[in-house]
Every structure is written in C-alpha cells, then in structure tokens.
Amino acid sequence: MKNELFAFFAIFGIIALILLLVIVAAAGGWLGFWEIGPITQPKPSQMLVIGNPSPAALEALDNSKDLAVYVIRDEESLRTNAKEKLAQYDIVMLDQSNQDSKYLPSGVGEAITSYVNRGGKLIVVSNSGIYNQETPEVIGWLANFGSDIVPVDCAYTKENKPSCTSPLNVTAELERADYNSKIMIGIEHIPAASDQPFFYLEVFPVSATGNEIATINDMQSTKHYPGIVEKPLAKGKSIYFNYDPGITPGILRNTLKYLR
C-alpha cells in the first residue's frame, strides 16, 4: 500500500511540475521576458533548377533558402534515369533564360510530366524547354512534353511563327488577375505606386491554357499578355512565368511558399 501511495504522489508531483513549467513559460512570453516560437519549423523544400537562370533569379533564390534549398543541373545531367533523379526533389524549376539553348534531351519532357502527375511541383520560365534535341523541327511544350502539363500554349502568331519563339520587349506593369491565389497575396499591381518606373520585360505572346494568376499590361500598346499561369491538376502543381521571376522576388517567394 505504501509503495502504491508513493508511486501515486510521485506521478502527481511530476504532473504538477510540468504544469508549473508550462505556466511559467507562458507567463514569461506574455510578459515579454522571452519569445515562444513554434516548436518545429517547416523544412525548406528540396529544389532542382534545370538550366541557367538569370542573376536576378539566382539572387532571389539565394535570399529564399528558408523556403527552398536549390541545386542547379544542366539538361544533359537528366539524359539517363530522369524519373528517378526528379523524384528526389519537391520542386523542379525549368529556367533556361540565361542560355541560348532551349532544348531538352529526348524523354526528359515526358519524365517531367510524370513527375508532376505523381504530385511534383513545376515552375517553367519564359520559353524554356520548347525544343527537343532529337527532333529539332518540333517546337512547343505540348509536343516536347507529350502532355499539356505547361499551362500555356505555343500557338502561331499572325506572322505564322510559333509564339514561344517570338519574344517581345515591353514597358509593362504586372496586375493581379486571380484574387484567391496565394501567389499574388497582398499584391495588386507592380509597380505599386504611380511614381515608380514600369518594368522593361521580355515576354512571349503565348496563350494561357490554365488559370491566369497575373497579367502583363503593355503600357505603350495597351496589349495584355499572360504573366503568371497555373495549371489546375489532380495531384501536382505547374506554374508558368512569362518573364524573369527574379524581377519580382516577392512574388517568387510567395510561389515557393505556395508550393511547399
């Protein structure tokens, strides 16, 4: 009986001590003696960057390592066992903006499609990945990827040229199009104020086949182009940037948060 009473009071004492420590910690935080943060922080996503992004995009990614830790690989590194290599990453970013070649080895586009359909997250920038090395006469994501996984279409222009090979230089603003999207949360226009300069962007007159998140407004011609587009998918996510995402580092950070 004594042993049972001793065990009971011992357990009671431990519970009372734990409660006391919790109360002291909470009171100290409330009085400002210390900060109580979350017990665990979400780990940064593992991100694969395929290609050669602009210096501005790399700077934005370097400043967002709390959200995503990235490695850069060239296209040739995925020539063999592409599916297995892609499966190691939470996010894949295809950004060949800072290189002349927009080619992917045969089969890599299909591997990226499989990666997304299995729940992976994809970011495609400008006209990256529109050519296939083995079939250079084929142009566009639909033919190269074997699927409409990229949320824009490389249609033909009035000059009978593929729109993803016809860059335009515009003086523009970026305007929010989807008010439910977390990518543009808190952002209506960029630039935000009338006394700030407009952007000088290289864009492509592609057609959106997904949900348009943001629109590029040409301030000289009053024409509009898809700015950021997302493809609604059953599992994974696919987002397209029709400009260098390093120009809007805040939006790129929002995108990485959204894809976590």
Side-chain angles (χ1 to χ4, degrees):
M1 185 68 179
K2 289 182 179 180
N3 290 336
E4 292 177 355
L5 288 172
F6 178 80
F8 172 80
F9 284 114
I11 295 172
F12 180 83
I14 292 172
I15 294 173
L17 179 60
I18 293 173
L19 289 173
L20 178 62
L21 291 174
V22 170
I23 292 170
V24 170
W30 182 71
L31 293 172
F33 292 124
W34 49 71
E35 275 186 52
I36 301 177
I39 296 175
T40 58
Q41 293 287 350
K43 291 183 179 180
S45 301
Q46 297 300 309
M47 182 175 181
L48 172 64
V49 178
I50 305 171
N52 188 8
S54 72
L58 291 177
E59 181 179 359
L61 291 175
D62 285 336
N63 292 332
S64 300
K65 289 184 177 179
D66 58 317
L67 301 175
V69 177
Y70 72 94
V71 295
I72 301 177
R73 298 286 184 266
D74 61 25
E75 303 79 15
E76 288 299 319
S77 68
L78 298 175
R79 184 174 286 278
T80 59
N81 302 319
K83 288 185 179 180
E84 291 78 5
K85 292 174 181 176
L86 293 174
Q88 302 175 53
Y89 298 95
D90 305 305
I91 304 172
V92 171
M93 182 175 182
L94 177 58
D95 188 352
Q96 300 170 323
S97 301
N98 208 31
Q99 64 187 53
D100 293 331
S101 171
K102 313 297 179 184
Y103 287 89
L104 288 176
S106 181
V108 174
E110 287 86 347
I112 291 175
T113 297
S114 176
Y115 163 82
V116 175
N117 285 332
R118 292 183 180 186
K121 286 72 177 279
L122 174 67
I123 300 172
V124 177
V125 178
S126 296
N127 65 338
S128 302
I130 61 170
Y131 294 108
N132 186 299
Q133 286 178 328
E134 283 68 37
T135 57
E137 73 280 4
V138 177
I139 301 174
W141 299 285
L142 184 59
N144 200 14
F145 283 63
S147 169
D148 60 349
I149 200 74
V150 178
V152 289
D153 182 25
C154 185
Y156 277 83
T157 65
K158 293 179 180 179
E159 293 77 22
N160 202 32
K161 294 181 179 180
S163 58
C164 55
T165 65
S166 306
L168 302 170
N169 295 309
V170 298
T171 302
E173 69 169 4
L174 195 69
E175 182 179 10
R176 187 175 186 176
D178 183 348
Y179 283 83
N180 294 318
S181 173
K182 295 180 180 179
I183 292 175
M184 293 291 288
I185 189 167
I187 302 170
E188 303 297 327
H189 294 84
I190 299 181
S194 59
D195 59 345
Q196 295 177 344
F198 293 114
F199 292 128
Y200 295 98
L201 301 178
E202 180 183 80
V203 303
F204 292 85
V206 294
S207 301
T209 59
N211 179 37
E212 194 165 339
I213 304 298
T215 301
I216 294 171
N217 299 324
D218 184 347
M219 306 311 293
Q220 293 181 330
S221 70
T222 69
K223 291 182 179 180
H224 309 282
Y225 305 97
I228 304 171
V229 188
E230 180 180 6
K231 191 76 172 184
L233 298 167
K235 289 187 177 180
K237 291 183 171 67
S238 177
I239 296 172
Y240 173 78
F241 279 81
N242 196 12
Y243 67 95
D244 177 4
I247 294 175
T248 56
I251 292 178
L252 182 56
R253 276 189 62 86
N254 282 350
T255 303
L256 296 177
K257 288 180 185 177
Y258 172 63
L259 295 179
R260 297 182 78 173

